[in-house]
Amino acid sequence: MGRGILSLKLIPNLKSRRTTFLKRKKSLMKKAYELSTLCDVQTCVFIASDCDPAAQFETWPPNRDQIHAMIRSYKSHSFLKQSRNSSYDLNRFLSDRRNKIVTDTAKLRHNVDKFKDHNLDSLSEHQLKDFLATLDTKIGVVDDMIQFMEADYDYLIEEVIGTPSFCPSETEESCEYNVEDFQSLLEDEFLGALVQNHPFNFDSELIA
Amino acid sequence: MGRGILSLKLIPNLKSRRTTFLKRKKSLMKKAYELSTLCDVQTCVFIASDCDPAAQFETWPPNRDQIHAMIRSYKSHSFLKQSRNSSYDLNRFLSDRRNKIVTDTAKLRHNVDKFKDHNLDSLSEHQLKDFLATLDTKIGVVDDMIQFMEADYDYLIEEVIGTPSFCPSETEESCEYNVEDFQSLLEDEFLGALVQNHPFNFDSELIA
DNA sequence: CCCTCTATATATAATGG
DNA sequence: TCCATTATATATAGAGG
């Protein structure tokens, strides 16, 4: 191109390569800007500029939040597409795990019910109180851990899928699933199962 | 451009817009391919093609794994860059939470130790056995939940940060942190704290 | 809708400062 | 190393099939 014809292989000369890289990077970004402006489509470019250690990545659009929004949008589409094709998808994964939790919880409830029928009078009040205090602390730690993980889940899920507000409603018609559906799926199947199960109220069940 | 000069605004005519979009999209992808081939740089483009409901997103490179690798690479750089600037970063977030877990666990251990000094003889063997069975089930459920969450964590963390293998070692010199450092950070500060704390061995402590 | 054609605008390789 | 120039290759807007 330009004055000489270039074959589409790695440019062997380092200097030429670098020059070409800088020129073409600039043009690619400009084209990305033009495409998105002229046609109002979400367009995103990243280039790993090894040449420039300070920048590492140059992107269009330069704003990080916009890039993240694009990534989330891409991921949610890509993920759902994959789910529909893959034989072992996230739906399956979550519902298998959920079933296990449900089964185990049922076993626990059964045992707790059995336990409630026993007479606790033979325990001294002090022993019972102490024991329950220990249990409370124990439960507290477990709750903290669960909250700890849930908070991070939210954070991680946000990173992976993003906020529902991004998905513009105008594309909903053509989109079999959207980000909101997917978030609900996760929340229903997964966090839902946790929230439902984790406040055990062990002590009140024990005392009742 | 081309035969007529176009101002850089949304093309009002829908037909022209669509035509222009298709032409420019093709060129942009071609340019991305050329850039990466000629200069051997990681280049990634996504375009949300609202026009084509089946495709939704067109990308260069078309291979999904390569796109994911690019996203992971971008995210790890972007994230670390942000961490260094932001006053409340992930390091802080993780270490605050870790401290809370450590404190709570210490409290628990203290209470368990206190409890061990008490005499359990006044509990009937049957009561004790039943109670421990209930506790076992309880712990089992909690362990399942924790494993459940850990597995998903791994999944989510993989989505967010990706595999260390992607980061080519030739750039390590110029890169203050790399993906491996970041993964270690997470594992040390966060999963580490969990793994360390979650096998409570409640029953054995109780019996010992 | 999707192609082709063609005039014109851009991009860019090579060159020289 | 980076900017300017220039000859040439590409990209593309608009028109027509």
Side-chain angles (χ1 to χ4, degrees):
Chain A
M1 299 141 194
R3 192 174 285 207
I5 299 171
L6 199 60
S7 71
L8 278 174
K9 293 184 178 176
L10 180 70
I11 296 169
N13 181 287
L14 186 65
K15 223 174 229 174
S16 312
R17 191 158 77 227
R18 188 179 159 71
T19 308
T20 293
F21 170 69
L22 292 172
K23 283 182 182 175
R24 280 174 175 263
K25 174 165 59 82
K26 190 177 153 195
S27 305
L28 194 67
M29 295 307 188
K30 185 181 170 196
K31 290 284 184 197
Y33 160 67
E34 289 177 356
L35 180 64
S36 65
T37 306
L38 291 168
C39 305
D40 188 33
V41 288
Q42 305 259 354
T43 306
C44 169
V45 175
F46 338 141
I47 299 172
S49 41
D50 290 332
C51 303
D52 183 353
Q56 289 292 344
F57 268 91
E58 290 193 61
T59 66
W60 202 91
N63 178 282
R64 189 170 295 165
D65 292 335
Q66 284 176 269
I67 294 284
H68 285 189
M70 281 293 292
I71 289 173
R72 286 195 286 264
S73 179
Y74 168 74
K75 284 223 171 191
S76 68
H77 282 292
S78 145
F79 197 93
L80 289 169
K81 213 167 176 180
Q82 205 171 32
S83 295
R84 270 173 277 165
N85 299 332
S86 154
S87 61
Y88 191 74
D89 60 25
L90 185 71
N91 290 15
R92 180 80 176 282
F93 174 76
L94 292 174
S95 82
D96 284 355
R97 285 174 168 283
R98 187 199 190 194
N99 289 340
K100 179 155 175 51
I101 292 284
V102 167
T103 310
D104 286 348
T105 307
K107 255 194 283 183
L108 172 67
R109 298 233 176 276
H110 178 71
N111 278 9
V112 167
D113 286 345
K114 244 177 40 188
F115 186 72
K116 278 195 277 189
D117 294 336
H118 288 286
N119 186 355
L120 292 177
D121 290 347
S122 64
L123 284 159
S124 77
E125 198 183 339
H126 178 72
Q127 280 176 323
L128 190 58
K129 197 177 139 202
D130 223 10
F131 193 66
L132 290 179
T134 307
L135 273 184
D136 271 344
T137 313
K138 171 79 184 170
I139 302 298
V141 172
V142 170
D143 276 344
D144 281 346
M145 287 175 65
I146 288 169
Q147 277 174 34
F148 169 93
M149 298 185 88
E150 277 181 346
D152 291 310
Y153 256 115
D154 288 346
Y155 172 82
L156 291 168
I157 286 168
E158 156 63 18
E159 280 295 307
V160 175
I161 315 158
T163 53
S165 62
F166 176 68
C167 190
S169 54
E170 54 176 314
T171 61
E172 267 181 5
E173 237 180 10
S174 60
C175 171
E176 248 186 86
Y177 295 89
N178 61 27
V179 176
E180 280 177 50
D181 288 338
F182 186 52
Q183 268 204 334
S184 309
L185 171 78
L186 263 183
E187 279 163 19
D188 290 347
E189 292 291 330
F190 181 50
L191 290 177
L194 278 172
V195 167
Q196 195 186 342
N197 291 315
H198 96 68
F200 284 61
N201 297 320
F202 198 108
D203 47 20
S204 61
E205 283 183 83
L206 225 153
I207 291 166
Chain B
M1 298 143 193
R3 191 174 284 209
I5 299 171
L6 200 58
S7 70
L8 279 175
K9 294 186 177 174
L10 180 69
I11 296 169
N13 180 288
L14 187 64
K15 221 174 228 175
S16 310
R17 190 157 79 226
R18 189 179 161 71
T19 309
T20 294
F21 171 67
L22 292 173
K23 283 181 180 176
R24 281 175 174 263
K25 173 164 61 81
K26 191 176 152 195
S27 304
L28 193 68
M29 294 306 188
K30 186 181 170 195
K31 291 284 184 198
Y33 160 67
E34 289 176 356
L35 180 64
S36 66
T37 305
L38 291 168
C39 305
D40 188 33
V41 289
Q42 305 261 351
T43 306
C44 170
V45 176
F46 339 140
I47 299 172
S49 42
D50 289 332
C51 304
D52 183 353
Q56 290 290 343
F57 270 91
E58 289 194 61
T59 66
W60 203 92
N63 179 282
R64 189 171 294 165
D65 293 334
Q66 284 176 269
I67 294 285
H68 284 190
M70 281 292 292
I71 288 173
R72 286 194 286 262
S73 180
Y74 167 74
K75 284 222 168 190
S76 68
H77 282 290
S78 146
F79 199 92
L80 290 169
K81 213 167 175 178
Q82 204 170 33
S83 294
R84 268 172 279 166
N85 300 332
S86 153
S87 61
Y88 191 74
D89 60 25
L90 186 73
N91 290 14
R92 180 81 176 282
F93 174 76
L94 292 173
S95 82
D96 284 355
R97 284 176 167 282
R98 187 200 190 191
N99 289 342
K100 178 152 175 52
I101 291 284
V102 168
T103 310
D104 286 348
T105 308
K107 254 193 282 180
L108 172 66
R109 297 229 176 279
H110 178 72
N111 278 8
V112 166
D113 286 344
K114 245 179 37 187
F115 187 71
K116 278 194 277 191
D117 295 336
H118 288 285
N119 187 357
L120 293 175
D121 289 348
S122 65
L123 285 158
S124 77
E125 199 182 339
H126 179 72
Q127 280 176 324
L128 189 58
K129 198 177 138 198
D130 226 10
F131 194 66
L132 291 178
T134 307
L135 274 183
D136 271 349
T137 313
K138 170 84 183 163
I139 302 300
V141 172
V142 170
D143 278 343
D144 281 345
M145 287 173 67
I146 288 169
Q147 277 174 33
F148 170 94
M149 298 185 87
E150 277 182 344
D152 290 311
Y153 255 117
D154 288 346
Y155 172 81
L156 291 169
I157 286 168
E158 156 62 19
E159 281 295 307
V160 175
I161 316 160
T163 54
S165 63
F166 177 69
C167 192
S169 53
E170 54 176 315
T171 60
E172 265 179 7
E173 239 180 7
S174 59
C175 172
E176 247 186 87
Y177 295 89
N178 61 27
V179 176
E180 280 177 50
D181 289 338
F182 184 53
Q183 267 204 334
S184 309
L185 170 78
L186 262 183
E187 279 162 20
D188 291 347
E189 290 291 331
F190 179 48
L191 289 176
L194 277 171
V195 166
Q196 196 186 341
N197 292 315
H198 96 67
F200 284 62
N201 296 322
F202 198 109
D203 47 19
S204 62
E205 282 181 85
L206 224 152
I207 293 167

